[in-house]
Amino acid sequence: MKRKIITTSDGSKTIQIEEWNEQYHSIHGAIQEANHVFLKHGLFFYADIISNSELVSESQPVSILEIGFGTGLNAFLTLIEAEKLKLPLNYVGVEAYPVQIEEINQLNYVELISTSHNAVFEKLHETPWERPHDITPLFKLEKLQKFFKEIEAKDKFDIIYFDAFGARVQPDLWTEDIFKIMFNALKENGILVTYSAKGSVRRAMQAVGLTVERLPGPPGKREMLRATKLSV
């Protein structure tokens, strides 16, 4: 399928799949969406839980699973914020069809987010797949090339960034079967955040045992979803 680089409303670039009229990030702002959905309502929310709960050890690395590693934008923002929080992270990104380095080189995330992290952004993409790497002293990355249905993790992750292509073009990625895999992968009290707010998505999450809340969405979207795997 033909892909091209486009500029979103906040000036940041993303990749568009022309045949689907679908983008890797919101056309209303790639960086704005990532910060709102995955950082504000994912990483920062969970960091607050750690700091205010005796049930979670603040000294243990937080484990994040990203469904759709894509351009690496979510990982890049998460790495930078983890440095500020002094929060150790184990980050696993799953992607069936990795983005080509030629496309990555056309994106402008480093220029807009942090030019001092240029080498780190490059390292996120240059490190080999299928094994973990220390990107920084606080950030360990493992990139896995596989389909989401092939994930077999059990009680492993504190946070899931669910950033798959939308249900309009890939409805099979937003089913009860997929969310059962996500439920199994989460630890107790772990959370899943996604930009989607579709009723069918919310019902699929609830059907597998996740507790779901609607939250204000990023620019261009009224709502988003956050789901929690509550202790039994």
Side-chain angles (χ1 to χ4, degrees):
M1 286 182 287
K2 188 176 180 182
R3 295 136 68 100
K4 68 176 182 179
I5 306 298
I6 65 169
T7 302
T8 68
S9 294
D10 65 1
S12 56
K13 297 181 183 295
T14 192
I15 300 171
Q16 182 182 63
I17 299 177
E18 293 186 281
E19 182 179 328
W20 289 351
N21 189 29
E22 181 79 357
Q23 294 72 228
Y24 276 69
H25 307 287
S26 171
I27 60 172
H28 301 287
I31 292 175
Q32 287 184 139
E33 178 193 48
N35 273 321
H36 182 89
V37 175
F38 302 108
L39 277 295
K40 178 180 179 180
H41 291 299
L43 180 67
F44 296 158
F45 175 80
Y46 194 80
D48 284 342
I49 292 176
I50 292 174
S51 62
N52 293 303
S53 174
E54 296 179 359
L55 300 177
V56 183
S57 173
E58 196 167 356
S59 62
Q60 291 297 315
V62 172
S63 295
I64 298 179
L65 171 64
E66 182 177 12
I67 299 300
F69 184 77
T71 65
L73 174 59
N74 297 331
F76 186 48
L77 288 168
T78 299
L79 181 153
I80 291 171
E81 295 304 327
E83 284 185 351
K84 297 176 185 176
L85 294 169
K86 294 182 172 55
L87 184 67
L89 288 181
N90 292 335
Y91 196 103
V92 176
V94 176
E95 180 66 56
Y97 303 102
V99 175
Q100 300 301 305
I101 195 65
E102 294 80 9
E103 296 170 306
I104 296 298
N105 290 338
Q106 297 179 63
L107 303 175
N108 60 349
Y109 302 147
V110 169
E111 294 93 319
L112 295 180
I113 297 169
S114 174
T115 55
S116 65
H117 286 83
N118 181 59
V120 168
F121 183 73
E122 291 179 353
K123 193 173 181 181
L124 288 173
H125 290 284
E126 291 172 353
T127 52
W129 291 66
E130 313 306 332
R131 58 189 178 89
H133 304 270
D134 291 324
I135 305 299
T136 71
L138 289 175
F139 192 93
K140 179 174 290 187
L141 172 67
E142 183 175 10
K143 297 181 294 185
L144 302 175
Q145 186 174 358
K146 61 170 61 177
F147 294 107
F148 305 150
K149 65 183 179 182
E150 297 173 332
I151 295 170
E152 298 179 342
K154 304 293 183 184
D155 304 313
K156 182 175 180 180
F157 296 101
D158 301 296
I159 305 170
I160 294 177
Y161 292 170
F162 199 89
D163 199 15
F165 285 126
R168 176 181 63 84
V169 297
Q170 288 198 308
D172 55 311
L173 302 183
W174 301 84
T175 62
E176 287 184 29
D177 287 344
I178 292 294
F179 286 117
K180 183 62 176 178
I181 293 170
M182 300 300 108
F183 180 91
N184 291 338
L186 281 172
K187 298 177 184 177
E188 285 193 354
N189 300 307
I191 62 170
L192 178 153
V193 285
T194 183
Y195 62 85
S196 178
K198 286 177 66 70
S200 59
V201 172
R202 176 175 51 82
R203 290 189 291 273
M205 291 179 178
Q206 291 172 327
V208 303
L210 292 166
T211 299
V212 187
E213 56 187 320
R214 296 186 184 93
L215 299 169
K221 285 187 66 69
R222 186 166 60 89
E223 292 181 325
M224 58 165 283
L225 299 176
R226 181 169 63 214
T228 306
K229 179 179 179 177
L230 295 177
S231 300
V232 178

